[in-house]
Amino acid sequence: ALPFDHAADGIYIGGYQAIRFADALRAMSIRTVLKLYAGLPHFPADFNTLDHPTTDNELIPAAALQRGVDFISEQVRAVQPLLVMCSTGSSRSATFILAYQLAQGRDLHESFHTLRRAHPATELHPAMWLSLITHYKLAYTLAQVQGWGL
């Protein structure tokens, strides 16, 4: 099995191990990557990679979250499949995909459950949940959203 899953709208989610499957990504026309971890491994030069490191244990600044959402939105509009990836493919990558969906006017609760069904490894760090709640001024508490994963 491939170490990434289709999340929505031509957006795939995975962890750093996806780099070992560059040929499979190419075969699926996935040549664009939102890379949310610092350092290695890097994708080959024929991939359009936005290096956008974030960390799980602190709030994502609004401008940084928006930059990632804008990158995802540009690829979706261009009908260019992309991979959103962090170290494990569970928290930061899911946060940016959910932020994209919120920016599209989708409901967080429904989007989270859809993503979780597509990618069972989805498990947001509390700071990632708070980044979404804060940036999008959502009426959820941290306890509510963390309860969705149980």
Side-chain angles (χ1 to χ4, degrees), residues 6-8 13 94 97-98 101-102 106-124 129 132 140 143-150:
H6 182 252
I13 181 173
I97 292 170
L98 291 172
Q101 292 178 324
L102 286 167
R106 297 186 187 141
D107 175 71
L108 181 61
H109 184 262
E110 180 181 322
S111 294
F112 171 76
H113 285 293
T114 300
L115 181 56
R116 191 79 166 311
R117 279 191 298 279
H119 187 67
T122 299
E123 188 70 42
L124 276 69
W129 279 122
L132 293 172
Y140 295 110
Q144 285 175 312
V145 296
Q146 286 183 305
W148 296 344
L150 303 177

Side-chain angles (χ1 to χ4, degrees), residues 38-110:
L40 300 171
H42 293 293
F43 270 82
D46 63 318
F47 282 79
N48 170 25
T49 304
L50 174 60
D51 278 300
H52 194 51
T54 58
T55 58
D56 265 328
N57 57 356
E58 57 188 48
L59 290 179
I60 302 169
L65 191 59
Q66 190 61 52
R67 181 176 182 221
V69 169
D70 289 347
F71 184 75
I72 294 169
S73 298
E74 290 166 14
Q75 306 315 311
V76 171
R77 277 194 305 275
V79 194
Q80 173 59 54
L82 80 148
L83 173 65
V84 178
M85 61 184 292
C86 57
S87 295
T88 64
S90 60
S91 183
R92 289 170 284 167
S93 51
T95 301
F96 277 85
I97 292 170
L98 291 172
Y100 160 78
Q101 292 178 324
L102 286 167
Q104 298 301 306
R106 297 186 187 141
D107 175 71
L108 181 61
H109 184 262
E110 180 181 322

Side-chain angles (χ1 to χ4, degrees), residues 9-46:
D9 302 342
I11 304 165
Y12 292 77
I13 181 173
Y16 75 89
Q17 66 277 17
I19 187 67
R20 297 189 339 234
F21 295 84
D23 288 338
L25 289 164
R26 286 183 190 103
M28 297 170 68
S29 298
I30 303 169
R31 297 275 184 124
T32 304
V33 178
L34 175 57
K35 181 178 163 275
L36 299 168
Y37 59 88
L40 300 171
H42 293 293
F43 270 82
D46 63 318

